[in-house]
Amino acid sequence: MAFLLERKRMAKLNSLKNYGQFKEVYEERRSKANRYLVMYIHPNCEKENRIGISVSKKTGNSVVRHRITRLIRESYRLNCQKFKQGYDLVFVARSDAKGKGYREIEGAMLHLAKLHRVLKEEEGQGLI
């Protein structure tokens, strides 16, 4: 029973909540896309990132849309320490994301972050 007491709570992600917040990011018009995702970015005045996720009905039924949303959220949660802070990020799932697994979605997200130059420089990276 002691392991239950030691269990840490997952950090809650700071997210964009309403249409006005999403609209502010969309109006910036800074976006990059790949096969599975489109990523919009807008600097904010906070010390941490806020994320928004949008999955259209064209992608599939509610089960499919919620699965893609969970994959995007989990991919960001596990890689948030790699992102520079102070941005609003909106991820829009494309219809090709339907049926893809965690690794494909994570790879697409990191690829877009690299294109936007919001990944932190990692020490020890470079020539081997």
Side-chain angles (χ1 to χ4, degrees):
M1 296 299 262
F3 69 90
L4 292 176
L5 298 175
E6 295 174 14
R7 208 168 152 195
K8 293 181 182 178
R9 293 197 111 182
M10 251 188 332
K12 185 176 180 183
L13 293 178
N14 199 0
S15 61
L16 301 174
K17 302 285 187 211
N18 58 39
Y19 175 74
Q21 293 173 333
F22 276 82
K23 184 178 176 185
E24 191 175 313
V25 177
Y26 289 140
E27 286 178 351
E28 182 75 18
R29 296 186 187 267
R30 289 179 57 194
S31 68
K32 303 282 185 197
N34 59 29
R35 190 172 181 181
Y36 304 129
L37 298 173
V38 179
M39 180 178 170
Y40 291 85
I41 186 168
H42 176 69
N44 65 24
C45 299
E46 299 178 17
K47 293 184 180 180
E48 56 186 27
N49 291 339
R50 298 186 302 176
I51 68 163
I53 301 169
S54 176
V55 185
S56 169
K57 284 187 177 182
K58 293 178 185 176
T59 306
N61 64 19
S62 65
V63 174
V64 171
R65 293 193 311 267
H66 284 92
R67 182 175 188 279
I68 293 170
T69 302
R70 287 193 310 270
L71 288 173
I72 293 170
R73 187 178 298 119
E74 184 69 2
S75 296
Y76 180 79
R77 186 185 71 81
L78 293 176
N79 292 289
C80 64
Q81 74 282 357
K82 296 179 183 178
F83 283 77
K84 294 177 184 175
Q85 298 300 305
Y87 293 97
D88 289 338
L89 309 169
V90 174
F91 296 98
V92 179
R94 294 183 133 180
S95 57
D96 282 348
K98 181 179 178 179
K100 298 303 174 205
Y102 171 78
R103 293 289 176 209
E104 290 93 355
I105 300 298
E106 179 187 41
M109 177 183 291
L110 293 175
H111 172 252
L112 293 174
K114 186 183 284 188
L115 291 178
H116 275 292
R117 296 189 172 119
V118 292
L119 286 181
K120 292 178 183 175
E121 297 291 328
E122 293 185 31
E123 293 181 22
Q125 206 175 31
L127 297 176
I128 297 175

